[in-house]
Amino acid sequence: MLNNRQLILGHFWLAFALFTVALVLGAWQMWVRSPLLPWVSDPELYYRAVTAHGTVMAYVLPTLVAMGFGYAISQAALQQSLIGVRWAWLGLILVAVGSVMAVIPVALGRASVLYTFYPPLVGSAFYYIGVVLAVVGSWIWVALLSVNLYAWKREHPGAPVPFAMFAIVAGAYLWAWTSVGAALELLFQIIPAAVGLTSTIDAGLSRVYFSWTLHAIVYFWLIPTYIAFYTIFPRAIGGKLYSDTMGRIAFILFLVVAMPIGIHHTFADPQIGAGFKFIHSAFTALVSLPTLLTVFTICASAEIAGRLHGGRGPFGWIAALPWGNPIMLATALSFVMLGFGGAGGLINMSYQLNTSIHNTQWITGHFHLIFGGAIVIMYFAIAYDLWPHLTGRALPREGLMRLQLWLWTVGMIITTFPWHYVGILGMPRRMAYYDYSNPLLAAQAPWVDISTVGALIILISGLLFIFILVEGHRGSAIDVSKYQFSTAVHPPVALPGALNGLGLWVALMIGLTVTNYGFPIVELLARTGVAVPAVYVGSQP
Amino acid sequence: MSQQQHTSDHGGQGSNVAKRAEQRWAFVAVLMLILFVGLAAGAGIHYMVMPQARVETTDPRTVAITGEFVESNLGSVAEPDGSVTVRALGQRYSFTPSCIVVPAQTPVRLRATSADVIHGILIEGTNVNTMLIPGYVSSITMQFRESGEHLMPCQEFCSVGHEGMWGKVRVIDKAAFTAAAAKAKRVTCAEQ
Amino acid sequence: MNDEHISSEPTASQELVWRLSSIGITGLLVILTAAVGLILLPLLQRDVTYSSLWDAICSAAGVRQLSADEPAIAPAFKTSQAVLTSDMFRNPGAQSIGRGATLGQRCAICHGPSGVSRADSPNLAGQYAAVIYKELLDFRSGARVNSVMSPFAEGLSDQDIADLAAYYAYLPRLPGFHPPTQTSIPRIVINGAPMRGIASCGSCHGGLDNKLGSPWLEQQPEPYIQSQLQAFASRERHNDIGQQMRNIARQMTPEEMADAARYYASQPFSSSTQ
């Protein structure tokens, strides 16, 4: 069994408890703005729910999953006890306190500004301070992973860093750097306005700061999923990882290129030059490379396992794979959703195609499919894989887990595919109700109904997930073997420094941030007279 | 499985095959990316769909009461070169003019900004789509092929009345627009 | 990125190759994309002319430019010139409120000794300071015209207006009176009419949120609300900045105006006992 079980379980349970609340809110939102119900009498309730749902799902759930998983990796991959356990607990407490502090004003209707903040709209200062606290808690995690890796490297000079640790530390550094953007926006623009120190905000600059965070954060969310692809999936299905080197290269590419591409979220903004929009668009194309490499490597690893199970012929190995294994199923379903979601992302990446669907429901469909679908389903897989090692007990039977995963996938597809379509029809985002009786909007109504059915299926799957984890605490005690990651077909014996350390890549990440963001930010900072009066919603300073 | 026997075989047959397959795939992947970026840039140049060329600023405090976006200057105006300029203002929770009228088959430039918070303009049924950021002027060019009516919602959350913020765009034929432009300095269909 | 032979101890030159090629490729990509984005694409723009290559590069980089100074058509009538920001009204101070109370004695004839009117003039008690401020400014400047109010506003100084705003905002506000026994809330009030570009009244007028400058409407006299909506619809009243109320009133039916006025005017006791 793993050490520090309470610590890791604490992270996961906080994450999944808040996730459940946010899931219920999400289902309610789908239902209430669909043709199935009359218009909500208080639209502020809807926006309140959207703010809470987004804040939890974007800032709390994935951060806690990465943190808990990261501590587990640090112990299991490095095979050394976790250094800094008290600091780790402090980090978790900060995230918990921050989340509560953020969610309470939202629940009271004092911060219905959405998780993307959108200054000059300004809500209760406690909301933003809560978010900052949660982020600071995660920075403690970044520091601890770094410390643990450094200690291990000192004990094992020249030895290849275990792949899982290499990957999660890359993710941690990516997160630390990308969170700086939102931190700048919060600390220097929004919180001063929220507490009344300033009364104006440059809305254009704040969007650029936020875009700094907004894209790379999704790669921070994605990294635990991809680590599961590389280090859990091959082992779980009785195979080997096709290539350790290509895996490291994929994570290195994420570390370097995930950051300096955020302006593709502001293609339609008037405060940024067209040249930088193109530069970010081109680099965004580059960030699909590590995913393409990963798809190859993981499929090849699956093929190894399939043939080890006796599969023959060009496709016979697929049938030979252990489909009864929940990890096998989760990975395959994740790849299906990744394919569609990734294709949608390629559409969003070019200014030309983006103009058709910017800020329509296509965008909402896209990120629910790729994040809620492809990424979160692997969070479930990670939980299922780790749970016996955290509880010392057996999980309920695999059929139940497979059902939960199928329901999640089917529900997500039923929800998001029509969402993409109504986005193409031009349905705008984030409205509490729509007049489906208007002939120009009537075509959207049936698809919104279908999406709502999907939301119900997703909700059932989420509740089933919690049920399974709870049962995992009450199952029969079992003897768990040591927690293992997958081994590569050619395990590295000695690696060049570039593949065994992150210094060069962090330097490139920062360098690209300077080239891609430096001038736009400096130009916006240098402008005077463009700051807008803050608009206080729900709460005056 | 022959791959496993060669784990310690430096430069063995198996690892070479594996490496070559990977390299081939990486090469294909990079080609795909170059193709995507090239397509996007090419389409942008060919169809002249590019982000706005200049960054322009306004004074957000007075933008609605004086200057280019004062209420009497909003609406559509025929330019001497045959194109049309439309000026619009977004505010919580309506667009002014609430109904924009433009001629078909004519280059149209939309200039718009926000009087307060972040709004967006989306003309449904088209790819006209831009943000309105207070303090900055958005400028996009478009051309409508046919007459008709389009809904124009605000596509960005602008606080609690966002769901009520829908404008209209009416595309009429060139002759009708010219007649209207002769009668009024700024043409809108807001009164109808 | 080459898949190096990882099985032998990496040499110093291999390390160098990794460093140089990664930095080199990154640098090359930066230069290439910058050249295309900042030089090539702007020059291919057909619908804009640049004065020079440097102008093209600066525009593409996002250097701020002031828009060409084209003459704007001025309104045919006076429009509101009020600039409102929330920090203007935050802490007026007791002295300002006291001065406002003194000035307010003149207003009592129509607006009531405690800011609650006995006639059809609007109640001022508890009205948002920004609203009192703006309307007095507009009466004074002529953006809003009323045969009774315009003379009163003429003699007010900026400080007087700020004081009056502080005083009336300080008085207790009349709450909304909508018991469950009342007929259901009119749709136009609670949901607006999205397809006609009308948000729910409460989004600006305080039920859900207060947009700075939008008046609190609860328990205002029904004839007053009705007449103002009609005035906006007919363009007779035009001090709403950016036509925001004219946009709404123009799209309301007479029944909707009557329903909204009746809803907001609802009081705990009938007007005959006033």
Side-chain angles (χ1 to χ4, degrees), chain C residues 4 17 25 27 29 59 75 77 108 139 162 165 179 194 196 199:
Chain C
E4 299 287 332
V17 166
I25 292 174
L29 285 171
S59 297
F77 39 76
F139 278 125
R196 286 180 273 154

Side-chain angles (χ1 to χ4, degrees), chain B:
Chain B
M1 187 61 228
S2 61
Q3 291 263 53
Q4 283 194 298
Q5 294 163 11
H6 290 284
T7 45
S8 58
D9 180 335
H10 307 298
Q13 178 91 331
S15 84
N16 274 340
V17 169
K19 224 168 50 172
R20 269 203 309 279
E22 268 174 356
Q23 281 170 344
R24 240 177 276 141
W25 173 248
F27 183 67
V28 167
V30 171
L31 272 185
M32 282 165 63
L33 297 186
I34 296 177
L35 181 68
F36 293 148
V37 178
L39 271 178
I45 296 169
H46 179 71
Y47 290 105
M48 207 25 62
V49 178
M50 305 236 259
Q52 69 183 66
R54 294 190 203 276
V55 174
E56 289 180 53
T57 58
T58 72
D59 179 354
R61 278 173 214 259
T62 58
V63 69
I65 61 184
T66 185
E68 182 182 359
F69 295 96
V70 74
E71 61 175 73
S72 45
N73 204 37
L74 301 175
S76 312
V77 55
E79 301 288 353
D81 65 355
S83 68
V84 167
T85 301
V86 181
R87 293 186 177 84
L89 185 67
Q91 69 230 318
R92 289 180 296 157
Y93 298 102
S94 60
F95 295 105
T96 304
S98 52
C99 181
I100 292 174
V101 64
V102 287
Q105 320 232 340
T106 313
V108 174
R109 159 163 276 129
L110 171 66
R111 290 176 59 79
T113 185
S114 162
D116 43 30
V117 301
I118 297 174
H119 297 279
I121 283 186
L122 163 66
I123 303 182
E124 288 199 347
T126 74
N127 62 352
V128 178
N129 196 335
T130 185
M131 304 302 293
L132 302 182
I133 313 274
Y136 300 89
V137 178
S138 302
S139 170
I140 42 177
T141 52
M142 62 195 88
Q143 185 154 330
F144 294 87
R145 279 187 235 121
E146 308 167 339
S147 318
E149 195 155 298
H150 301 265
L151 289 170
M152 187 179 81
C154 168
Q155 32 77 322
E156 189 52 278
F157 177 68
C158 47
S159 195
V160 89
H162 168 58
E163 70 284 336
M165 193 163 168
W166 290 77
K168 282 197 181 60
V169 174
R170 192 168 293 159
V171 186
I172 60 180
D173 66 64
K174 276 172 127 163
F177 182 82
T178 315
K183 286 198 228 122
K185 290 227 188 84
R186 297 286 182 264
V187 185
T188 77
C189 42
E191 306 277 343
Q192 297 148 29

Side-chain angles (χ1 to χ4, degrees), chain A residues 195 215 369:
Chain A
V195 298
H215 203 83
L369 179 60

Side-chain angles (χ1 to χ4, degrees), chain A residues 148-355:
Chain A
N148 277 272
L149 177 59
Y150 181 68
W152 184 89
K153 281 181 111 167
R154 262 207 334 237
E155 294 284 312
H156 305 86
V161 172
F163 180 52
M165 190 64 182
F166 183 79
I168 193 71
V169 176
Y173 289 160
L174 175 64
W175 168 241
W177 184 243
T178 196
S179 52
V180 169
L184 289 173
E185 184 193 3
L186 286 169
L187 293 174
F188 290 109
Q189 295 191 296
I190 297 183
I191 293 178
V195 298
L197 281 175
T198 61
S199 56
T200 61
I201 294 181
D202 182 341
L205 175 61
S206 69
R207 285 176 70 85
V208 173
Y209 279 149
F210 195 73
S211 76
W212 169 324
T213 299
L214 189 58
H215 203 83
I217 194 176
V218 320
Y219 290 96
F220 170 57
W221 300 342
L222 165 161
I223 279 179
T225 295
Y226 276 42
I227 292 177
F229 288 157
Y230 282 95
T231 66
I232 294 181
F233 171 68
R235 180 217 79 221
I237 62 170
K240 287 200 176 279
L241 178 62
Y242 186 81
S243 167
D244 175 275
T245 309
M246 259 324 189
R248 288 172 196 262
I249 288 172
F251 284 95
I252 283 166
L253 282 172
F254 280 130
L255 178 61
V256 175
V257 193
M259 243 309 303
I261 61 178
I263 280 178
H264 72 241
H265 289 266
T266 51
F267 272 154
D269 282 33
Q271 75 276 16
I272 299 168
F276 280 98
K277 291 178 182 174
F278 174 78
I279 292 172
H280 282 242
S281 171
F283 274 90
T284 307
L286 195 54
V287 86
S288 52
L289 181 60
T291 293
L292 291 169
L293 296 176
T294 300
V295 167
F296 178 87
T297 306
I298 302 306
C299 287
S301 309
E303 184 179 351
I304 292 175
R307 296 198 186 284
L308 283 175
H309 283 274
R312 300 207 172 295
F315 297 109
W317 58 270
I318 298 177
L321 288 168
W323 288 101
N325 184 321
I327 309 293
M328 175 72 231
L329 183 65
T331 305
L333 294 174
S334 176
F335 267 42
V336 168
M337 293 189 279
L338 183 62
F340 287 109
L346 289 172
I347 289 173
N348 300 339
M349 133 196 131
S350 84
Y351 174 83
Q352 292 70 21
L353 288 176
N354 179 67
T355 55

